Amino acid sequence: MNIDLEWRNFDVLVIGSGGAGTNAAETAAKAGASVLLVAKDPLSASDTKISEGIATVRASGSEDDTEEVLSENLKIAGSDLPVEEITSAFAKDSQTAYDKYRENGLRPEISSITKGPNSLPLPMGGHTRRRSVGHKNSGLAFGHANWNAIVKENKIEYLEDCWVIDLVTSEYDDNRRTVEGAIIYDAQKGKLLAICAPSVVMAAGGLSTLYFPKTDTMRGNTGDSYAIAARAGAELVDMEQTQFLPFCLTSPPSFEGLLGGEPVTASYLGVLRDKNKKVILDGVYLRTRAECSAAIMKAVEDGRGTPNGGAYLDMRANKRAPKSGTYFMKFLKNSLPSAYNNVRQAMNKKEAQCDELWEVRPSAHYMMGGIRVDANGKSIADKNSNNGVQGLYAAGQAMGGLFGANRLGSTSLTEGAVFGSRAGLAAALYSRNFNNKKINKDLFFKEAYKLDDLLGQKGTKHASQLKIQVQKECWNNLGPIRDKKRLKKTQKFISRCRKDLKKIQIRKNLLWNQSLIEYLELVNMIDTAELMTYAALERDGSVGGHVRADCKDISIFSKPYSTIVKVRKSHIEVSKIDRKRTELKKLVEFKFKEQKRFLEAKLLRLLPMRLKDAIIEKRYKKIMGSKEQAPPLEPGSIEAAVGDQRVS
Amino acid sequence: MNRRPQHSSAYLEVTIIAHKEGQDLPTKFKYKKRNEREKPMALDVLLQAQENQLPDLAFRYGCRARNCGVCTIDINGKPRIACRAVVRDGDELKAMSTLPAITDLVVRRDQISRQLKGKIYEGGRKNDLNVEASEDYHELTSCIECYACLDNCPMHEKNFSETEKDPDYFQWGNPFSLLKLQTIASDPISTVARKEAAVTEALNLGLETCVSCPGCKCGVGIDLKGKVIKPLLQTSKLVD
Ligand SMILES: Cc1cc2nc3c(=O)[nH]c(=O)nc-3n(C[C@H](O)[C@H](O)[C@H](O)COP(=O)(O)OP(=O)(O)OC[C@H]3O[C@@H](n4cnc5c(N)ncnc54)[C@H](O)[C@@H]3O)c2cc1C
Ligand code: SF4
Ligand code: SF4
Ligand code: FES
């Protein structure tokens, strides 16, 4: 072998320095474990850092927001695919987990009424209560908190610019495996690391880069979490459930895919229109992201899409109302500052002022499925919760089972803290059983040899360019609208890609070898996409983030199930697992209330201007206190930044 | 608004300077505009170069939206956030000069965070969490950690006159590290001891250099001179 391995031992290896990884590392270290945190991006640079920074904190907006209410809200919004044990854990820990970010420097606005974190004026789309807390500087405030958590003490070791290639596992009987550690490519130092650790917390984020540039996430979301876990033998759940954010930008090119707004942005009078300006969705501000995205894509499929393959978001009515109109613009700027900042830079003045329509198109944002875990992030399989990969834990976007068919806005930052902490603790406790574990070095060498073969591979193809082809394929055939024919096409495409892997040119050097990095990520993208096609074919009906043009919608009253995919020696296994349906009575009540709200929204929109203007003005006044005014110049805004300018 | 002359051409020519094993290798690259009105950002140019001409070109990026702070490069010798820096004909794109280059446009970054490792210990008490922070505190947390402020910082420059070539962490400070320390000093939940420790740490990093320095400039518009350096110099009694 040409490569030297650098050997290190830890109790817990955490992969990822976003919200989930950071909380896992901090909690594991507090429990006394020796922890190594690695990330391929610089410390704390992650989806968490670039997010809108809105976090779900139970009961921040109303007293009647009990754990049951929140847990049920997630479960029903996810079409009963979420696992009750996991949604309950989320509801139970949301406040304490949020406080962990605060202990590391996150400072929200404090409500004069509750004396706690102040929630946004309106419930975010699909939430039945106001419970989303926004923050100055959006996700950056979370990025700093995570940075502080890792840097502040000497307890946690961290390495950046490190790509985890694969977990090292041992097989103990018939397909059942135990984690031994991981093989990691340290690009910064030009080294290969053999990290021996009895437990690993996978918190390496999502897969939205499969759809680049039609995504608003970090470039590193190449499906590493899922591909690495699946290759190690873990089961994945609900992998057909990609969340597309409905209102993303289509142009100019530098802004393509970035977030423009959320359903709530549309406020009381916003509607979606097709290219003929016909209304395709009403009461937009009350809808979930999945509903809005599906409405847009169905219109596109029908040939009624806008020039860039989307729809028009029309908020003119909000603006035109003589009295409430002034409140609306304030509302828009304050509720999602960084999304609105994108709009101001990318669109023309009239559009940015909502006097003209916004052309919007869904963008990949989040994978709701993921590694199948229990409420403590432990990998589980089959019917027996002890049959997962021993020593493997997952948290954050990497895990599945919390959101099912739809993730409500603002829940993911909280998810990272809740399940990061739970997984970190569980991993630390598990590792206590393995003091002085004997290391089977051969298992590590076996993984490392694979890399040895790759370095210097000759060929005519380039991984960075193949990635672009994969991205086009995924958008067209595994994207926001799917059917059997397209999914089969993607599978064929993937098997062709696999053949091409051997023709990819890879340089020999170890120091920051971009061709190797691109190759490793390409393989993860292909593996993940393939697993997704199996899940997407298995789910022969539309539900949530999975829209099948060739099948009927799956009714919320039918028997819910999740899809499971796993990699076996020579093939992929796919199956279904039943989920518990929410009591019929509650479902009917939920649906009834929802329909009532939609109807009320529609009626309000159709009222004469004078009447609705007065009603809406009152509502804005109620929801926006005097504190809601934007500061004249926000640091980080285009006005404040040097070298930045409007593009169109 | 100051309008620059429109480029009529469908192309834009730039020079990409790649760092390879200690050497700088320039490559001319012709960027093909995706529509005639396009004013591409430096990141668009790098992505297209990777797609069409330099498939293994190494550069950092993440969010494409001036949030993650990792894409900073030098354009014509000045640090710019690549995803939001409009490129003009003839521009020269290169790795940031203030940090050690690894490959192509990628620099090593972690020597900065490591200089504070273990030094910003916990100091808040749980029951204090429901207090609001000042506007100044929030201005500091708008830092995206792009390191554009390292440019022309005499304190940071001292790191490169030391004998050890590529240490694990930099001994001398920089505007970003001072910003982190001032954040602690202005955090309403910090104890007095923690605030004092932050200022002591600033002194250890070489705060006295700031006394005679004209001041630093932030890539996203944070008032570093007024909100970081001035308060630190005052609390440390280096100036009145
Ligand atoms: C623009 C935007 C706005 C958002 N707004 C909100 C919001 O307001 N509220 C909300 O709740 N959610 C929001 N989200 C979603 C939320 O930010 C993410 O879902 C969440 O932060 C994911 O956290 P995570 O810790 O699981 O992963 P991430 O934060 O994405 O972290 C992943 C980490 O894994 C590392 N990594 C990946 N692969 C590897 C590998 N192979 N080896 C080593 N390291 C690896 C990365 O470097 C990174 O450190 C938003 C997302 C985006 C993109
Ligand atoms: S202080 Fe400004 S220039 Fe320096 S790292 Fe932070 S954002 Fe960048
Ligand atoms: S004021 Fe201090 S931190 Fe800022 S550039 Fe000068 S020496 Fe560096
Ligand atoms: S890519 Fe994130 S700041 Fe430029």
Side-chain angles (χ1 to χ4, degrees), chain A residues 42 45 49-50 99 102-103 105 107-110 115-117 136-137 140 144 147-148 150-154 156 158-161 188-189 212-213 215 217-219 253-256 258 345 462 464-465 468 507 511-512 514-515 518 627 635-638 640-645 647, chain B residues 4 20 34-35 38-39 41 44 47 50-51 55-58 60-68 70 84 86 102-103 106 108-110 113-114 116-122 126 129-133 135 137-145 176 180 187-189 218-221:
Chain A
K49 177 176 176 181
I50 69 162
D99 281 351
R102 292 212 275 170
E103 280 158 33
R107 299 281 166 265
E109 186 180 284
I110 302 298
K115 308 283 181 232
K136 291 242 167 66
N137 304 316
L140 295 174
H144 281 287
W147 195 100
N148 295 345
I150 303 303
V151 171
K152 70 181 177 192
E153 289 171 278
N154 271 323
I156 305 163
Y158 72 89
L159 292 171
E160 54 187 49
D161 302 331
Q188 184 195 90
K189 298 267 170 59
F212 184 89
T215 174
T217 66
M218 290 283 282
R219 76 162 280 289
S254 319
F255 289 79
E256 186 180 358
L258 300 182
Q345 293 176 73
H462 299 281
S464 61
Q465 294 166 348
I468 297 172
R507 292 173 191 228
L511 186 67
W512 203 290
Q514 192 68 27
S515 56
E518 300 287 347
K627 272 187 180 165
S637 67
I638 21 169
V642 271
D644 261 32
Q645 56 248 98
V647 207
Chain B
R4 274 178 280 112
K20 291 246 181 318
R34 287 170 284 186
N35 63 54
E38 189 188 6
K39 292 182 196 160
M41 308 292 176
D44 297 313
L47 285 168
Q50 193 183 52
E51 185 177 349
D56 301 333
L57 185 68
R60 291 185 190 272
Y61 77 101
C63 64
R64 300 186 292 144
R66 200 179 10 79
N67 274 326
C68 71
V70 307
R84 284 292 175 271
V86 176
I102 304 174
T103 295
V106 175
R108 182 167 176 200
R109 292 174 47 114
D110 67 335
S113 59
R114 285 186 202 287
L116 290 178
K117 181 77 181 144
K119 291 181 177 150
I120 48 172
Y121 59 85
E122 275 185 280
K126 243 193 164 156
L129 288 177
N130 287 322
V131 284
E132 272 184 23
E135 281 304 322
Y137 181 88
H138 291 304
E139 176 157 355
L140 302 189
T141 55
S142 73
C143 164
I144 64 171
E145 207 180 343
F176 167 79
K180 286 303 269 187
D187 184 345
I189 79 159
C218 164
V220 302

Side-chain angles (χ1 to χ4, degrees), chain A residues 496-511:
Chain A
R496 277 202 310 277
C497 263
R498 282 200 198 284
K499 288 191 192 122
D500 283 346
L501 289 177
K502 295 187 190 74
K503 300 180 204 149
I504 290 175
Q505 193 185 101
I506 303 175
R507 292 173 191 228
K508 223 180 161 65
N509 60 304
L510 263 178
L511 186 67

Side-chain angles (χ1 to χ4, degrees), chain A residues 120-138:
Chain A
L120 292 183
L122 283 183
M124 288 186 81
H127 280 277
T128 55
R129 297 288 189 284
R130 277 177 57 201
R131 54 167 88 95
S132 303
V133 178
H135 296 86
K136 291 242 167 66
N137 304 316
S138 309

